[in-house]
Amino acid sequence: MTPLFPGGTSISDLAVYDWECADGVHGGTPHLHTVSTEAYVVTGGRGEVHTLSAAGFARDRLEAGTVLWFSPGTIHRLVNEEELRLIVIMQNAGLPEAGDAVLTFPADVLRDRDAYLAAATLPADGSEAERAAAARTRRDLAITGFQQLMKEVNERGDQALADFHRLAAALVRPRAESWAELWSGTVEAETERTRRQLAAIADGDPAHLGQAAVVRTTPRPGPRAFGMCGRLQTWTPLHPSEVSQERSWSGRAAGA
């Protein structure tokens, strides 16, 4: 396994969709995360991220070198103006992959869990073209819901956003127990490991330093995945024995 940072941090490389939306801009699917903080490190291109939170609606410019963080509950929508590329950093690795995100579908879809899952799920065995079409349809439905939500917020203020948050929480509530188990075995366990290391250093015991390791990851095979905001590249770790063999071979080849 890839060693986890305390907090269970995971990363992915995102090429933001350049598909046109009904409002004339190009970009991804607006959504929020219910328990995880997210960060963007912009590596290329230009664009914006539109956010809706308790602080209201905001637009933040994105260009190479921009770093932007947002906490759970922040609805965010990526707008691609010119080949926008990001490194996405997620807290609580495993939870976003397990359904932590809720897309801004219209309220009638959010109230019906089966309808929501049907609209949010891409065909697992579909061709690239079929998955792309499904991802675009999903994005367009979320844009419709986002525009409706913005209208509601303008008319009813914070109450409209609070209503959306309640619908989002109700959708993911059935997963909360399994999330807690996943969190306990990863995020909590890694944080506890750091606590033990701090205690060991305080006691003058450096034994854990002798267990140091380097783990290399490689891009997962196949085409980029269809994410909510664009095409995703993720990585898979080599087995520790493969890491040792590769480092040993590299050293011999270099004459080390």
Side-chain angles (χ1 to χ4, degrees):
M1 289 183 61
T2 304
L4 293 174
F5 289 125
T9 307
S10 66
I11 62 172
S12 57
D13 176 33
L14 176 67
V16 180
Y17 292 131
D18 59 3
W19 300 329
E20 186 173 4
C21 306
D23 56 2
V25 302
H26 301 72
T29 309
H31 64 282
L32 59 71
H33 294 278
T34 56
V35 294
S36 299
T37 291
E38 183 173 10
Y40 290 156
V41 180
V42 183
T43 57
R46 296 183 300 108
E48 293 184 335
V49 60
H50 298 174
T51 58
L52 181 61
S53 68
F57 176 74
R59 300 171 182 259
D60 282 278
R61 293 295 305 165
L62 299 177
E63 58 188 15
T66 301
V67 179
L68 188 115
W69 299 79
F70 37 87
S71 55
T74 303
I75 297 170
H76 48 286
R77 174 197 185 187
L78 277 170
V79 172
N80 186 357
E81 296 176 354
E82 183 182 3
E83 298 182 355
L84 184 59
R85 291 284 295 269
L86 318 168
I87 296 296
V88 179
I89 306 172
M90 289 298 310
Q91 180 196 26
N92 298 326
L95 297 189
E97 294 83 352
D100 167 46
V102 174
L103 285 66
T104 58
F105 291 152
D108 59 331
V109 179
L110 294 173
R111 293 189 184 97
D112 184 336
R113 193 164 189 271
D114 290 338
Y116 177 88
L117 293 175
T121 304
L122 303 185
D125 299 323
S127 67
E128 278 281 291
E130 290 168 339
R131 290 176 62 79
R136 189 164 184 169
T137 297
R138 177 177 70 178
R139 190 279 311 267
D140 291 345
L141 183 62
I143 292 291
T144 297
F146 181 70
Q147 292 171 333
Q148 292 174 356
L149 178 59
M150 288 288 293
K151 182 175 183 293
E152 286 286 305
V153 169
N154 287 335
E155 294 174 353
R156 300 196 293 119
D158 292 346
Q159 186 58 51
L161 186 58
D163 289 345
F164 178 86
H165 286 164
R166 275 192 290 272
L167 290 173
L171 272 171
V172 301
R173 184 179 180 184
R175 297 178 173 177
E177 185 174 348
S178 63
W179 285 358
E181 293 177 1
L182 177 60
W183 178 87
S184 179
T186 55
V187 179
E188 186 178 37
E190 289 301 311
T191 302
E192 173 59 21
R193 181 172 63 89
T194 300
R195 188 199 65 77
R196 293 196 302 269
Q197 291 172 346
L198 289 170
I201 291 296
D203 290 340
D205 177 8
H208 66 277
L209 301 180
Q211 301 168 9
V214 176
V215 177
R216 178 176 178 174
T217 61
T218 58
R220 292 189 183 276
R224 286 173 173 258
F226 288 96
M228 288 176 290
C229 294
R231 299 300 299 267
L232 287 171
Q233 174 67 69
T234 57
W235 290 266
T236 184
L238 293 176
H239 187 275
S241 63
E242 296 177 276
V243 175
S244 299
Q245 292 168 8
E246 179 165 320
R247 288 173 63 82
S248 176
W249 173 254
S250 298
R252 290 198 300 272

